[in-house]
Amino acid sequence: MSEPDAKTPRERYRAQVREEVKKHAWEQIGTAGASALSLNAIGKQIGMSGPALYRYFANRDELISELIRDAYRSLADTFRARAEAGGAAGEEAGREAGRDAGAGLAGLAHALREWALADPQRYFLVYGTPVPGYRAPEDTTMIAAEIMAVLLDACTAEAPPAGPPSPLETHLDAHRDWAAHHPAPPSALHRALTFWTRLHGVLSLELAGHFAGMGFDPALLYTAEAEAVRNL
Amino acid sequence: MSEPDAKTPRERYRAQVREEVKKHAWEQIGTAGASALSLNAIGKQIGMSGPALYRYFANRDELISELIRDAYRSLADTFRARAEAGGAAGEEAGREAGRDAGAGLAGLAHALREWALADPQRYFLVYGTPVPGYRAPEDTTMIAAEIMAVLLDACTAEAPPAGPPSPLETHLDAHRDWAAHHPAPPSALHRALTFWTRLHGVLSLELAGHFAGMGFDPALLYTAEAEAVRNL
DNA sequence: TGTACATCAGTGAACGCGCGTTCACTGATGTAC
DNA sequence: TGTACATCAGTGAACGCGCGTTCACTGATGTAC
């Protein structure tokens, strides 16, 4: 029973401290950006000495990788939950998170936007400016594929009346490494990619503040783009 | 004549060194990201002592602001040149930069992509992850407006047959702070914004490497999006 | 053309700082008999 | 239940580093007579 299976109190404590470290890491990223993340500073915040954190993370890079992993996981979970929960709204919170549009593409679009707005720096850690040298942890590739699979499912389910594929769709169908094991038709490939790029376009410009002072409501532009993808 | 008008040799020299500093600053940003930019390191690269750079820039922030300004200016110039040059192709370089699509929206799309691919980090300095605290230099707002004006011109010129405005277009027309002094009709406002967000969506994901390993050709997706905006 | 002075570029030392990380050590927590 | 030992969390000092920035100073370049 002392085999690494059931959690011993020490393991529970370890996990707890790791979570607290990550919590403050996110706060620091939100305040000063990811490049300003400092182990010593985090230690000070949680009332520990800097070197103490090396009991919980091998080094700074491992902490950052962990945060990136968590961010990906969080988005994948959000997507999957939305895809499965269908129109089941409301739940405990009486927020606007309740009345949103079902489980289809519109629902995923809504979920994506909420996820991004909830923590812009988390969004940027996934989709923002890459640091030239840095390589994201390998397992993020699999999580990204998981996200794509949910999206492809929705695009396949809401398939429009199938006309002949466009030249682009033919090309995508011929180069579908990213959807090799998914039965989505060419038009679904196209719509999944377009969903991704168009919504990311609005979101990232909005979160980066490029719409500030322009006057209009980004949410309206966002939903218009989501609609346009559905009717593509 | 010694009034600050015609360039004295010393002024020429100053400008020359400033340019060299900026050149190496860009290289450093390309190599390790903007947050790793270091005055001392630049000094070393150009064979100067670190503190010497303070003859040319008040501090690190002023240098970065200057780089951001230059990036904006570069994009604005590229856009304006493309808008004015019409279909005038080829010029001196026999590259693919030659045969591109005229001066309209398609031409602007093409110019934008080339500009971004020519120096991804420059692109990200303008459109990438914002550093939470940092405020961009004020004059960039005006340059951004200049870019928007070129885009609005093109959207107005290539106006589609005017149907009744959509709800979004009505909203945009009612909140056009960013196009207050431009005679663009509602549909042009919509198309300008959509041009911006859709192309940025494809570009930023491509440049951040999110399409790596997916197999398809991002250029095809990009031009398809540009086309879709024209037919919007 | 020549000398006297002011301007300015660049140097090297220095300050204070915070970073990531290592290491030897102290105490507390859990395990085995 | 009690004692003996191993495990592990956390500390504080230390190392080496590079950063932005200031400052007093040297030399070269330009200006004025």
Side-chain angles (χ1 to χ4, degrees):
Chain A
M1 285 294 173
S2 66
E3 295 301 301
D5 204 346
K7 292 270 187 295
T8 72
R10 262 197 178 139
E11 280 168 332
R12 253 195 301 276
Y13 179 72
R14 274 187 67 82
Q16 197 172 315
V17 174
R18 276 179 71 98
E19 282 312 309
E20 199 180 347
V21 169
K22 291 202 264 179
K23 192 187 87 187
H24 284 88
W26 280 117
E27 281 172 12
Q28 217 174 90
I29 286 178
T31 305
S35 64
L37 199 158
S38 145
L39 289 187
N40 288 315
I42 292 174
K44 197 167 299 179
Q45 280 179 34
I46 66 181
M48 270 188 189
S49 172
L53 302 195
Y54 284 77
R55 295 274 167 198
Y56 302 93
F57 297 91
N59 49 41
R60 199 190 105 117
D61 267 20
E62 196 195 277
L63 171 56
I64 292 185
S65 292
E66 187 76 19
L67 295 176
I68 294 178
R69 230 189 312 271
D70 285 358
Y72 268 100
R73 259 266 68 80
S74 162
L75 178 54
D77 292 347
T78 301
F79 249 46
R80 195 172 281 290
R82 171 53 52 101
E84 286 168 358
E91 305 216 345
E92 47 234 64
R95 306 184 173 221
E96 35 188 329
R99 47 171 154 83
D100 37 29
L105 279 185
L108 291 181
H110 193 96
L112 174 60
R113 185 157 200 269
E114 280 197 344
W115 182 83
L117 290 178
D119 190 342
Q121 286 297 325
R122 180 180 58 180
Y123 176 87
F124 282 122
L125 204 57
V126 172
Y127 290 117
T129 310
V131 175
Y134 187 76
R135 299 245 333 138
E138 305 230 343
D139 39 357
T140 58
T141 315
M142 301 197 44
I143 310 180
E146 191 182 325
I147 293 169
M148 254 310 170
V150 175
L151 186 51
L152 283 169
D153 285 346
C155 287
T156 306
E158 286 181 47
S166 67
L168 174 62
E169 288 173 351
T170 307
H171 170 82
L172 292 178
D173 198 34
H175 301 83
R176 49 189 295 159
D177 306 20
W178 51 289
H181 303 300
H182 198 285
S187 75
L189 300 180
H190 183 197
R191 299 205 308 152
L193 276 185
T194 307
F195 177 98
W196 193 24
T197 59
R198 286 190 188 174
L199 298 190
H200 173 67
V202 178
L203 267 183
S204 66
L205 287 174
E206 177 185 4
L207 295 179
H210 286 281
F211 296 158
M214 288 183 76
F216 68 92
D217 180 4
L220 295 181
L221 181 60
Y222 185 83
T223 56
E225 286 298 85
E227 272 299 308
V229 173
R230 292 177 71 196
N231 302 326
L232 195 130
Chain B
M1 286 293 175
S2 67
E3 295 302 302
D5 204 347
K7 292 269 187 295
T8 73
R10 261 194 179 142
E11 280 169 332
R12 253 194 302 276
Y13 180 73
R14 274 187 68 83
Q16 197 173 313
V17 175
R18 276 179 71 98
E19 282 313 308
E20 199 180 345
V21 169
K22 291 202 265 177
K23 192 187 86 188
H24 284 87
W26 281 116
E27 281 171 12
Q28 219 174 90
I29 286 179
T31 304
S35 64
L37 199 159
S38 144
L39 288 186
N40 288 316
I42 292 173
K44 199 168 297 180
Q45 278 178 36
I46 65 180
M48 269 188 191
S49 173
L53 302 195
Y54 284 77
R55 296 273 168 198
Y56 301 93
F57 297 91
N59 49 41
R60 199 190 106 116
D61 267 19
E62 195 195 278
L63 171 58
I64 292 186
S65 292
E66 187 76 19
L67 295 176
I68 293 178
R69 229 191 312 272
D70 285 359
Y72 267 101
R73 259 264 71 79
S74 162
L75 178 54
D77 291 348
T78 301
F79 249 46
R80 196 173 281 291
R82 171 53 52 101
E84 286 168 357
E91 304 217 346
E92 47 234 64
R95 307 184 172 219
E96 34 188 330
R99 46 174 155 81
D100 39 28
L105 279 184
L108 290 181
H110 192 97
L112 173 61
R113 185 156 200 269
E114 281 198 342
W115 181 82
L117 290 177
D119 190 342
Q121 287 296 327
R122 180 181 58 181
Y123 176 86
F124 282 121
L125 204 57
V126 172
Y127 289 116
T129 309
V131 175
Y134 188 76
R135 298 244 333 139
E138 305 230 342
D139 38 358
T140 57
T141 315
M142 300 197 45
I143 309 181
E146 191 181 324
I147 293 170
M148 254 310 170
V150 174
L151 185 52
L152 282 169
D153 286 346
C155 288
T156 307
E158 287 182 47
S166 67
L168 173 61
E169 289 172 351
T170 307
H171 171 82
L172 292 178
D173 198 35
H175 302 84
R176 50 188 297 159
D177 306 21
W178 51 289
H181 304 301
H182 198 284
S187 75
L189 299 181
H190 182 197
R191 300 205 308 152
L193 276 184
T194 307
F195 177 98
W196 192 25
T197 59
R198 288 190 187 173
L199 299 189
H200 173 68
V202 178
L203 267 183
S204 67
L205 287 175
E206 177 184 4
L207 295 179
H210 287 281
F211 296 157
M214 289 182 75
F216 69 92
D217 180 3
L220 295 181
L221 181 60
Y222 185 84
T223 56
E225 286 298 84
E227 273 299 307
V229 173
R230 291 177 71 196
N231 302 327
L232 198 131

